[in-house]
Amino acid sequence: MELKTETARNAEITEDNISLWHKCSHCGEVSFRGELERNGFICPKCKELFALSIENRIKLLIGDDSHSDITEPLPDETNSENAITIDVIGVEENIDEFPVSLFILHPDAALQPRHLTEFAEAITCALERTIPLISVFTASPIETQCSYSEILPLYLQLEQLAQVPLPHLTILTETDVDQLTSHLPLGEIVIAESASHMDSMSRPNPQPALHAPEEQLLPEDNRELTPDISVDCYIPRAELHTVLVRLIKFFATSPKDD
């Protein structure tokens, strides 16, 4: 009976309503968009995480579920006539009552100089407003069009952030790979997004993350090993907002040195 239902569902997918259906890249099953929205964009069949658009990522982080309409398309809607192609954003938002500087890079974006500029502006915003920085990018980048010398200024800027000190939290997405990598600098706290607690229990972390600025500044040729990015914790997507609120409250109430 279930097989017939799935067959009927697949048969209804046409050019006119393709934006209402989404195919999971992991199991190949097709799900109705409304079902995905209610499930936090997690495949109801195999529990794999769908990549989030910039807009949906912001809503997830700030805990804004008051608007059910999604105006920015998912990646597989890029052929739609009304598709909006936003692959990076730097913006100040409030997580509960706490202002933060957000930098978000879409997982399908190849790293370009303009993305580095956006990251630099997000760091500047954190410094000028004296607020935490939260960076969000994939743990499985596709490619980069930037050289190490172009990325280096970001590390130097983040050194200023550390001296204030202001917290820099990194959220890694697309963590369903054996070796977590990144072209961008990590925060002092690295959170990896997962589908569930059970998913996070089996993750190997063979090498420590390059959290220290002096380690990150080393060219890869001068490192003894090319490390896996280790993470401080794996957090289910549905709990990211709650965990961020707790972390930001902790830093906001921590005693400051005179």
Side-chain angles (χ1 to χ4, degrees), residues 93-105:
E93 288 284 354
N94 286 336
I95 296 182
D96 276 15
E97 73 274 23
F98 300 100
V100 299
S101 179
L102 274 179
F103 167 80
I104 304 175
L105 181 64

Side-chain angles (χ1 to χ4, degrees), residues 215-234:
E215 294 179 79
Q216 297 189 39
L217 286 172
L218 286 175
E220 291 187 5
D221 292 344
N222 293 344
R223 298 172 186 163
E224 293 183 3
L225 295 172
T226 301
D228 241 17
I229 292 177
S230 190
V231 299
D232 295 296
C233 54
Y234 281 83

Side-chain angles (χ1 to χ4, degrees), residues 146-157:
C146 302
S147 65
Y148 179 77
S149 60
E150 290 175 304
I151 300 174
L152 179 60
L154 288 179
Y155 292 107
L156 301 179
Q157 255 192 301

Side-chain angles (χ1 to χ4, degrees), residues 166-215:
L166 289 170
H168 173 202
L169 313 179
T170 294
I171 298 174
L172 295 175
T173 63
E174 289 70 47
T175 57
D176 56 340
V177 291
D178 292 333
Q179 184 176 14
L180 308 183
T181 58
S182 173
H183 302 306
L184 292 170
L186 302 169
E188 295 88 2
I189 295 179
V190 179
I191 299 171
E193 180 181 56
S194 66
S196 66
H197 283 297
M198 293 303 295
D199 176 63
S200 66
M201 292 173 63
S202 61
R203 299 291 186 174
N205 294 309
Q207 296 286 343
L210 298 182
H211 288 175
E214 62 272 17
E215 294 179 79

